[in-house]
Amino acid sequence: MIEDKNQARTPLSELGEFGLIDHLTKQFEVKQKSTITSIGDDAAVLDFKNKQIVVTTDMLVEGVHFDLSYAPLKHLGYKAVVVNLSDVYAMNAEATQITVSIAVSNRFPLEALEELYEGITLASKIYNVDVVGGDTTSSTAGLIISITAIGEVNTEDIVLRKGAKPNDLLVVTGDLGGAYMGLQILEREKEVFKVNPNNQPDLDAYTYVMERQLKPEARGDIIKLLKDLGVKPTSMIDVSDGLSSEILHICKASDVGCDLYEEKLPLDPQVISTCEEFNMDSTTVVLNGGEDYELLMTISQEDFPKIKANPNLTVIGYITDKSVGANLVTRGETKIPLQAQGWKNFDS
């Protein structure tokens, strides 16, 4: 679809900070019983009674975490919410509220921010969370989005990174590697566009991996599923920086080792075919790619019968004694020490 280059552009200066806040937040509805006071006061008021509260914050910076040459603003707003909710679900908690803060330069008109907030609004509705506050300010370096997510969980249900024990099963939700391969497609097409701006990419063959990159989903459904199955993980983390990094986080926090089986890694057929097209090893992509936002957990072997037939959960290995170390067991049955080579901030 050809973009209309003559769209109306409303300078943010016409609204001012408070007018902008009122304009962008008027569509947010309060749905949670725990939200006593929302946007419009000095702070939100939340009432969780006897629940444990979990709070997490994540920041997305233009040029570091996203590229607006191929990331639609509506998708970006949606993704910014999802990546934070994923951290709440990794604690076995229910997400209930978020705050949204943005820093924006004057190259963005009001209409651009409306698109961004359309995505935020859609995510808040789908995941049933209330937007209860935030901040807006100016930026000299493009767009910055910071979201804080709040959730609640019964004390007896909370799951941390520590808690994994030898012989526990290593389990992951969904499939892995799609987001990274979606990014490879987008980066390739960006370079093609630079050479020939009239060339329109045909992305029909990559719909799944593109969606995994541009519009990921957080696995709140898994929290309900585990409860329905009567399974409480012994440890859990979300897969944001690559599977190897997340496994090593659990091993370090729990003071254990693990054996991860290459042949057990869950891969979508489109991920496999895209890896072949780019001449990339799918195992390397899964271990180091990141941004899948699936949940990695350990469960007791006693709970295996409860999950073995569930298509949402895949057993990919098991926990060992710390002295064994964290290893990848290849298809050729060779053990290779796992290394964290996923996303690293502040790398030169």
Side-chain angles (χ1 to χ4, degrees):
M1 186 171 68
I2 304 300
E3 182 182 1
D4 181 4
K5 300 296 185 181
N6 298 311
Q7 296 179 25
R9 292 171 61 90
T10 306
L12 300 182
S13 57
E14 283 191 12
L15 289 86
E17 179 183 359
F18 299 114
L20 177 63
I21 292 171
D22 289 342
H23 183 86
L24 293 176
T25 61
K26 62 186 178 184
Q27 73 270 37
F28 294 135
E29 301 174 2
V30 172
K31 301 176 287 293
Q32 296 287 338
K33 292 180 180 179
S34 52
T35 304
I36 307 304
T37 301
S38 183
I39 297 169
D41 220 305
D42 287 327
V45 179
L46 312 177
D47 179 14
F48 290 93
K49 297 183 173 65
N50 299 320
K51 300 277 189 177
Q52 293 284 312
I53 311 306
V54 298
V55 181
T56 181
T57 298
D58 206 15
M59 183 179 292
L60 300 179
V61 179
E62 183 180 356
V64 178
H65 301 102
F66 60 88
D67 186 335
L68 289 178
S69 65
Y70 52 67
L73 284 163
K74 186 174 181 179
H75 288 66
L76 180 61
Y78 190 94
K79 182 175 181 177
V81 174
V82 163
V83 301
N84 280 273
L85 300 185
S86 183
D87 284 330
V88 172
Y89 299 139
M91 307 294 289
N92 203 34
E94 175 191 356
T96 50
Q97 287 91 6
I98 60 172
T99 65
V100 180
S101 297
I102 61 170
V104 60
S105 69
N106 58 12
R107 70 181 170 90
F108 291 89
L110 173 63
E111 288 74 18
L113 296 191
E114 286 176 336
E115 279 191 54
L116 180 73
Y117 271 72
E118 279 182 29
I120 293 170
T121 302
L122 180 60
S124 69
K125 288 180 178 178
I126 289 176
Y127 289 93
N128 196 35
V129 295
D130 292 341
V131 183
V132 297
D135 191 20
T136 59
T137 189
S138 57
S139 164
T140 59
L143 178 63
I144 300 171
I145 309 167
S146 179
I147 292 183
T148 296
I150 301 164
E152 63 179 30
V153 59
N154 292 324
T155 303
E156 64 271 19
D157 293 332
I158 197 160
V159 177
L160 308 176
R161 292 181 183 182
K162 64 180 181 180
K165 298 176 178 59
N167 298 318
D168 281 354
L169 300 176
L170 195 61
V171 178
V172 73
T173 65
D175 55 78
L176 303 171
Y180 183 77
M181 294 317 297
L183 179 62
Q184 301 312 301
I185 296 293
L186 290 166
E187 288 287 345
R188 181 184 70 183
E189 296 305 323
K190 178 183 176 181
E191 294 305 312
V192 172
F193 181 80
K194 286 179 181 179
V195 176
N196 182 9
N198 294 319
N199 183 69
Q200 292 296 314
D202 182 3
L203 302 175
D204 289 346
Y206 310 107
T207 52
Y208 181 69
V209 295
M210 293 281 288
E211 184 168 350
R212 293 286 279 177
Q213 170 57 220
L214 294 176
K215 187 179 172 289
E217 301 291 350
R219 300 309 304 263
D221 59 313
I222 297 298
I223 306 309
K224 182 180 185 304
L225 173 64
L226 292 173
K227 188 174 182 179
D228 291 344
L229 292 174
V231 175
K232 180 188 175 184
T234 53
S235 68
M236 190 154 57
I237 191 172
D238 80 321
V239 184
S240 56
D241 297 330
L243 182 63
S244 59
S245 294
E246 315 308 355
I247 289 175
L248 291 173
H249 282 314
I250 285 181
C251 288
K252 180 179 179 181
S254 301
D255 205 31
V256 294
C258 80
D259 279 352
L260 168 69
Y261 288 83
E262 182 180 23
E263 65 180 2
K264 300 294 185 182
L265 297 177
L267 292 163
D268 184 86
Q270 196 172 104
V271 173
I272 296 172
S273 62
T274 309
C275 284
E276 291 173 349
E277 181 180 342
F278 278 79
N279 196 27
M280 299 177 75
D281 178 66
S282 60
T283 299
T284 302
V285 168
V286 167
L287 293 179
N288 305 316
E291 289 200 295
D292 290 307
Y293 301 107
E294 297 291 344
L295 293 176
L296 172 72
M297 67 194 79
T298 55
I299 67 168
S300 168
Q301 288 204 28
E302 295 176 359
D303 286 329
F304 176 68
K306 300 176 183 177
I307 70 152
K308 66 178 181 180
N310 196 289
N312 293 286
L313 304 169
T314 303
V315 178
I316 57 174
Y318 66 95
I319 299 299
T320 62
D321 187 80
K322 181 182 180 180
S323 61
V324 178
N327 301 288
L328 173 70
V329 182
T330 69
R331 293 183 179 88
E333 299 187 357
T334 301
K335 281 192 177 185
I336 302 173
L338 278 177
Q339 294 183 335
Q341 295 179 336
W343 170 260
K344 296 184 181 71
N345 280 298
F346 310 116
D347 276 6
S348 57

